[in-house]
Amino acid sequence: MGNPTATPQPQPWTAPTASDPVAATLRLPGSKSMTARALVLCALASGPSTLARPLRARDTELMAGGLRELGAHVSISDDDRWLVRPHPLAGPAHVDVGLAGTVMRFLPPVAGLAAGRVTFDGDPHARTRPLGPLIGALRALGVRIDAPPTGSLPLVVLGAGRVAGGDVVIDASASSQLVSGLLLAAPRFDRGVVVRHQGPPVPSAPHVRMTVQMLRAAGAAVDDTTPDVWTVEPGPLSGRGWEIEPDLSGAAPFFAAALVTGGEVTLQDWPRSSLQPVEQLRDLLHRMGGEVTLGTGGLTVRGTGTVRGLDADLSDVGELTPVLTALTLLADGPSRLTGIGHIRGHETDRVTALAKEFTALGADITETPDGLEIRPRPLRGGTFRTYADHRMAHAAAVAGLAVPGIEVDDVACTSKTMPEFPALWSGMVTGKN
């Protein structure tokens, strides 16, 4: 007899193939990046805060759980309105980071402000994600940390209830979250912080700009006028209401569907002024043959049914790489995607994983140190492994629109940022949304 307590194996999901142009108007969950940052700022504020239309998914629930472990009151019982009441931070506590880069990089600086011992660990692959520069920076700022020589999880923050702060040099070329984690907690440091990046360019720069803008919105004084230097003055953060935008990275596969099928997809509730890199996405989709407009109904992408090849540096928008890779495989000419070496340290090594899984479906795709070269040719169905990475599942879904028989081994991994993804996707393709 089998073990009755064994973890059930995920069931393969057949990516639906589109027989007609998609035509959908969607309301998608909130931005993971904004939700995570807002939760941290709320927990460090001087009064209560609310988050309107936040993202409820594994990553953000882990963030809420981590802050709750540290002492904050975080109520997420209402899907559309979360409430955070700050409280003195203290250990002992244990933070489960899961596979969330935001949790493992944003909460250790917060834990330094707690009085007591705070342990951090997560999913097995989380132990391979880069944390060393953050650990070194926190130690330089006066935080006691026990960590393996590899500079990775599991780690222990021995919080003293305060962090001295001051000047610190960090190589954040592996992840912009290394900078954002320091900045978010810095107003509560005794001397604030001056973070100087030294090394190859910081990837995903729009995410650091989001951090700076949200800090200012909470009342922090931030100077980012000098390239690769960020200064945050010590001072109180204000409790406030946060309006969370729809998630741009989560919207990308739905917009891609408009290009693949020659259809039209509208994302409702899109703000006129966004904290996310919408202009970069608009430019990329336009170059690939799409038309992107922002109107009263939301952000709309229209396709012609022809996808153009793309030569682009994606260093600022690496999260879009899996979906854009799937699009380039269906394009009318070759493509070259560069500036994405840093996504090797994401939920999986996305560069290698994309090359391997699409090659298995017949793609002509070459891996380079910091990118991918794609030469379109007919693809075939088959099993597509996700490596527990939600963006890999998104890529398979996009390719499946034009290629029958793509079996995604674990579509449940999309619960990391969008539990509704399989239902929303199938509804869009079948016209039932």
Side-chain angles (χ1 to χ4, degrees), residues 214-234:
M214 292 183 70
L215 275 163
R216 288 173 176 155
V222 186
D223 182 349
D224 63 344
T225 54
T226 302
D228 289 335
V229 179
W230 300 267
T231 301
V232 181
E233 299 294 336

PDB file of all heavy atoms in Angstrom, residues 214-234:
ATOM      1  N   MET A 214       7.503  54.770  -3.474  1.00  0.00           N
ATOM      2  CA  MET A 214       6.618  54.358  -2.394  1.00  0.00           C
ATOM      3  C   MET A 214       7.137  54.832  -1.034  1.00  0.00           C
ATOM      4  O   MET A 214       6.353  55.206  -0.156  1.00  0.00           O
ATOM      5  CB  MET A 214       6.413  52.843  -2.429  1.00  0.00           C
ATOM      6  CG  MET A 214       5.623  52.378  -3.649  1.00  0.00           C
ATOM      7  SD  MET A 214       5.270  50.600  -3.702  1.00  0.00           S
ATOM      8  CE  MET A 214       4.061  50.438  -2.374  1.00  0.00           C
ATOM      9  N   LEU A 215       8.446  54.845  -0.846  1.00  0.00           N
ATOM     10  CA  LEU A 215       9.010  55.406   0.379  1.00  0.00           C
ATOM     11  C   LEU A 215       8.620  56.876   0.524  1.00  0.00           C
ATOM     12  O   LEU A 215       8.200  57.329   1.603  1.00  0.00           O
ATOM     13  CB  LEU A 215      10.537  55.269   0.370  1.00  0.00           C
ATOM     14  CG  LEU A 215      11.114  53.951   0.867  1.00  0.00           C
ATOM     15  CD1 LEU A 215      12.555  53.784   0.414  1.00  0.00           C
ATOM     16  CD2 LEU A 215      11.046  53.884   2.404  1.00  0.00           C
ATOM     17  N   ARG A 216       8.754  57.631  -0.550  1.00  0.00           N
ATOM     18  CA  ARG A 216       8.388  59.051  -0.504  1.00  0.00           C
ATOM     19  C   ARG A 216       6.903  59.223  -0.209  1.00  0.00           C
ATOM     20  O   ARG A 216       6.504  60.114   0.552  1.00  0.00           O
ATOM     21  CB  ARG A 216       8.762  59.726  -1.823  1.00  0.00           C
ATOM     22  CG  ARG A 216      10.258  59.913  -2.008  1.00  0.00           C
ATOM     23  CD  ARG A 216      10.589  60.431  -3.382  1.00  0.00           C
ATOM     24  NE  ARG A 216      12.031  60.695  -3.530  1.00  0.00           N
ATOM     25  CZ  ARG A 216      12.668  60.683  -4.680  1.00  0.00           C
ATOM     26  NH1 ARG A 216      12.005  60.414  -5.818  1.00  0.00           N
ATOM     27  NH2 ARG A 216      13.969  60.922  -4.732  1.00  0.00           N
ATOM     28  N   ALA A 217       6.082  58.359  -0.802  1.00  0.00           N
ATOM     29  CA  ALA A 217       4.638  58.445  -0.559  1.00  0.00           C
ATOM     30  C   ALA A 217       4.300  58.176   0.903  1.00  0.00           C
ATOM     31  O   ALA A 217       3.263  58.637   1.404  1.00  0.00           O
ATOM     32  CB  ALA A 217       3.903  57.458  -1.462  1.00  0.00           C
ATOM     33  N   ALA A 218       5.166  57.427   1.590  1.00  0.00           N
ATOM     34  CA  ALA A 218       4.953  57.129   3.012  1.00  0.00           C
ATOM     35  C   ALA A 218       5.619  58.170   3.918  1.00  0.00           C
ATOM     36  O   ALA A 218       5.586  58.024   5.139  1.00  0.00           O
ATOM     37  CB  ALA A 218       5.489  55.740   3.341  1.00  0.00           C
ATOM     38  N   GLY A 219       6.229  59.194   3.310  1.00  0.00           N
ATOM     39  CA  GLY A 219       6.794  60.272   4.100  1.00  0.00           C
ATOM     40  C   GLY A 219       8.291  60.247   4.285  1.00  0.00           C
ATOM     41  O   GLY A 219       8.847  61.104   4.994  1.00  0.00           O
ATOM     42  N   ALA A 220       8.987  59.314   3.660  1.00  0.00           N
ATOM     43  CA  ALA A 220      10.441  59.230   3.814  1.00  0.00           C
ATOM     44  C   ALA A 220      11.138  60.240   2.909  1.00  0.00           C
ATOM     45  O   ALA A 220      10.653  60.577   1.826  1.00  0.00           O
ATOM     46  CB  ALA A 220      10.926  57.821   3.485  1.00  0.00           C
ATOM     47  N   ALA A 221      12.299  60.700   3.368  1.00  0.00           N
ATOM     48  CA  ALA A 221      13.143  61.583   2.561  1.00  0.00           C
ATOM     49  C   ALA A 221      14.194  60.726   1.867  1.00  0.00           C
ATOM     50  O   ALA A 221      15.043  60.115   2.526  1.00  0.00           O
ATOM     51  CB  ALA A 221      13.800  62.626   3.444  1.00  0.00           C
ATOM     52  N   VAL A 222      14.122  60.672   0.528  1.00  0.00           N
ATOM     53  CA  VAL A 222      15.005  59.808  -0.261  1.00  0.00           C
ATOM     54  C   VAL A 222      15.666  60.637  -1.353  1.00  0.00           C
ATOM     55  O   VAL A 222      14.986  61.377  -2.071  1.00  0.00           O
ATOM     56  CB  VAL A 222      14.236  58.634  -0.911  1.00  0.00           C
ATOM     57  CG1 VAL A 222      15.203  57.676  -1.585  1.00  0.00           C
ATOM     58  CG2 VAL A 222      13.372  57.910   0.109  1.00  0.00           C
ATOM     59  N   ASP A 223      16.980  60.501  -1.483  1.00  0.00           N
ATOM     60  CA  ASP A 223      17.727  61.184  -2.541  1.00  0.00           C
ATOM     61  C   ASP A 223      18.330  60.110  -3.446  1.00  0.00           C
ATOM     62  O   ASP A 223      19.145  59.297  -3.006  1.00  0.00           O
ATOM     63  CB  ASP A 223      18.841  62.041  -1.929  1.00  0.00           C
ATOM     64  CG  ASP A 223      19.629  62.827  -2.984  1.00  0.00           C
ATOM     65  OD1 ASP A 223      19.450  62.562  -4.196  1.00  0.00           O
ATOM     66  OD2 ASP A 223      20.450  63.682  -2.600  1.00  0.00           O
ATOM     67  N   ASP A 224      17.888  60.100  -4.708  1.00  0.00           N
ATOM     68  CA  ASP A 224      18.441  59.142  -5.681  1.00  0.00           C
ATOM     69  C   ASP A 224      18.984  59.875  -6.897  1.00  0.00           C
ATOM     70  O   ASP A 224      19.025  59.323  -7.997  1.00  0.00           O
ATOM     71  CB  ASP A 224      17.386  58.110  -6.091  1.00  0.00           C
ATOM     72  CG  ASP A 224      16.188  58.723  -6.807  1.00  0.00           C
ATOM     73  OD1 ASP A 224      16.013  59.966  -6.736  1.00  0.00           O
ATOM     74  OD2 ASP A 224      15.421  57.974  -7.437  1.00  0.00           O
ATOM     75  N   THR A 225      19.424  61.125  -6.702  1.00  0.00           N
ATOM     76  CA  THR A 225      19.871  61.928  -7.838  1.00  0.00           C
ATOM     77  C   THR A 225      21.228  61.482  -8.373  1.00  0.00           C
ATOM     78  O   THR A 225      21.534  61.707  -9.551  1.00  0.00           O
ATOM     79  CB  THR A 225      19.946  63.422  -7.445  1.00  0.00           C
ATOM     80  OG1 THR A 225      20.757  63.558  -6.267  1.00  0.00           O
ATOM     81  CG2 THR A 225      18.553  63.962  -7.152  1.00  0.00           C
ATOM     82  N   THR A 226      22.049  60.865  -7.533  1.00  0.00           N
ATOM     83  CA  THR A 226      23.343  60.363  -7.985  1.00  0.00           C
ATOM     84  C   THR A 226      23.188  58.922  -8.451  1.00  0.00           C
ATOM     85  O   THR A 226      22.669  58.092  -7.704  1.00  0.00           O
ATOM     86  CB  THR A 226      24.388  60.424  -6.850  1.00  0.00           C
ATOM     87  OG1 THR A 226      24.500  61.767  -6.387  1.00  0.00           O
ATOM     88  CG2 THR A 226      25.745  59.930  -7.331  1.00  0.00           C
ATOM     89  N   PRO A 227      23.610  58.604  -9.674  1.00  0.00           N
ATOM     90  CA  PRO A 227      23.459  57.228 -10.150  1.00  0.00           C
ATOM     91  C   PRO A 227      24.108  56.222  -9.206  1.00  0.00           C
ATOM     92  O   PRO A 227      25.223  56.447  -8.705  1.00  0.00           O
ATOM     93  CB  PRO A 227      24.170  57.250 -11.518  1.00  0.00           C
ATOM     94  CG  PRO A 227      24.077  58.672 -11.969  1.00  0.00           C
ATOM     95  CD  PRO A 227      24.180  59.485 -10.704  1.00  0.00           C
ATOM     96  N   ASP A 228      23.399  55.150  -8.935  1.00  0.00           N
ATOM     97  CA  ASP A 228      23.889  54.047  -8.107  1.00  0.00           C
ATOM     98  C   ASP A 228      24.149  54.431  -6.649  1.00  0.00           C
ATOM     99  O   ASP A 228      24.881  53.747  -5.932  1.00  0.00           O
ATOM    100  CB  ASP A 228      25.157  53.422  -8.705  1.00  0.00           C
ATOM    101  CG  ASP A 228      24.875  52.641  -9.977  1.00  0.00           C
ATOM    102  OD1 ASP A 228      23.730  52.179 -10.152  1.00  0.00           O
ATOM    103  OD2 ASP A 228      25.792  52.497 -10.804  1.00  0.00           O
ATOM    104  N   VAL A 229      23.553  55.536  -6.203  1.00  0.00           N
ATOM    105  CA  VAL A 229      23.629  55.925  -4.795  1.00  0.00           C
ATOM    106  C   VAL A 229      22.227  56.316  -4.329  1.00  0.00           C
ATOM    107  O   VAL A 229      21.537  57.103  -4.987  1.00  0.00           O
ATOM    108  CB  VAL A 229      24.591  57.113  -4.568  1.00  0.00           C
ATOM    109  CG1 VAL A 229      24.628  57.492  -3.081  1.00  0.00           C
ATOM    110  CG2 VAL A 229      25.987  56.780  -5.057  1.00  0.00           C
ATOM    111  N   TRP A 230      21.815  55.759  -3.192  1.00  0.00           N
ATOM    112  CA  TRP A 230      20.495  56.053  -2.630  1.00  0.00           C
ATOM    113  C   TRP A 230      20.670  56.451  -1.164  1.00  0.00           C
ATOM    114  O   TRP A 230      21.273  55.710  -0.381  1.00  0.00           O
ATOM    115  CB  TRP A 230      19.580  54.835  -2.716  1.00  0.00           C
ATOM    116  CG  TRP A 230      19.343  54.354  -4.110  1.00  0.00           C
ATOM    117  CD1 TRP A 230      18.322  54.695  -4.950  1.00  0.00           C
ATOM    118  CD2 TRP A 230      20.155  53.422  -4.850  1.00  0.00           C
ATOM    119  NE1 TRP A 230      18.450  54.047  -6.156  1.00  0.00           N
ATOM    120  CE2 TRP A 230      19.565  53.260  -6.122  1.00  0.00           C
ATOM    121  CE3 TRP A 230      21.327  52.707  -4.543  1.00  0.00           C
ATOM    122  CZ2 TRP A 230      20.098  52.410  -7.089  1.00  0.00           C
ATOM    123  CZ3 TRP A 230      21.862  51.868  -5.507  1.00  0.00           C
ATOM    124  CH2 TRP A 230      21.249  51.721  -6.766  1.00  0.00           C
ATOM    125  N   THR A 231      20.145  57.612  -0.807  1.00  0.00           N
ATOM    126  CA  THR A 231      20.231  58.098   0.566  1.00  0.00           C
ATOM    127  C   THR A 231      18.831  58.189   1.151  1.00  0.00           C
ATOM    128  O   THR A 231      17.950  58.835   0.565  1.00  0.00           O
ATOM    129  CB  THR A 231      20.892  59.486   0.618  1.00  0.00           C
ATOM    130  OG1 THR A 231      22.205  59.408   0.048  1.00  0.00           O
ATOM    131  CG2 THR A 231      20.986  59.982   2.055  1.00  0.00           C
ATOM    132  N   VAL A 232      18.619  57.531   2.294  1.00  0.00           N
ATOM    133  CA  VAL A 232      17.343  57.587   2.999  1.00  0.00           C
ATOM    134  C   VAL A 232      17.601  58.169   4.378  1.00  0.00           C
ATOM    135  O   VAL A 232      18.419  57.637   5.145  1.00  0.00           O
ATOM    136  CB  VAL A 232      16.700  56.189   3.128  1.00  0.00           C
ATOM    137  CG1 VAL A 232      15.358  56.295   3.852  1.00  0.00           C
ATOM    138  CG2 VAL A 232      16.515  55.548   1.760  1.00  0.00           C
ATOM    139  N   GLU A 233      16.910  59.264   4.693  1.00  0.00           N
ATOM    140  CA  GLU A 233      17.077  59.912   5.990  1.00  0.00           C
ATOM    141  C   GLU A 233      16.250  59.183   7.050  1.00  0.00           C
ATOM    142  O   GLU A 233      15.185  58.640   6.754  1.00  0.00           O
ATOM    143  CB  GLU A 233      16.628  61.376   5.921  1.00  0.00           C
ATOM    144  CG  GLU A 233      17.400  62.230   4.934  1.00  0.00           C
ATOM    145  CD  GLU A 233      18.853  62.415   5.322  1.00  0.00           C
ATOM    146  OE1 GLU A 233      19.165  62.298   6.532  1.00  0.00           O
ATOM    147  OE2 GLU A 233      19.675  62.673   4.415  1.00  0.00           O
ATOM    148  N   PRO A 234      16.729  59.159   8.299  1.00  0.00           N
ATOM    149  CA  PRO A 234      15.916  58.564   9.360  1.00  0.00           C
ATOM    150  C   PRO A 234      14.681  59.417   9.632  1.00  0.00           C
ATOM    151  O   PRO A 234      14.734  60.645   9.514  1.00  0.00           O
ATOM    152  CB  PRO A 234      16.863  58.548  10.563  1.00  0.00           C
ATOM    153  CG  PRO A 234      17.842  59.652  10.297  1.00  0.00           C
ATOM    154  CD  PRO A 234      18.003  59.707   8.805  1.00  0.00           C
TER     155      PRO A 234
END
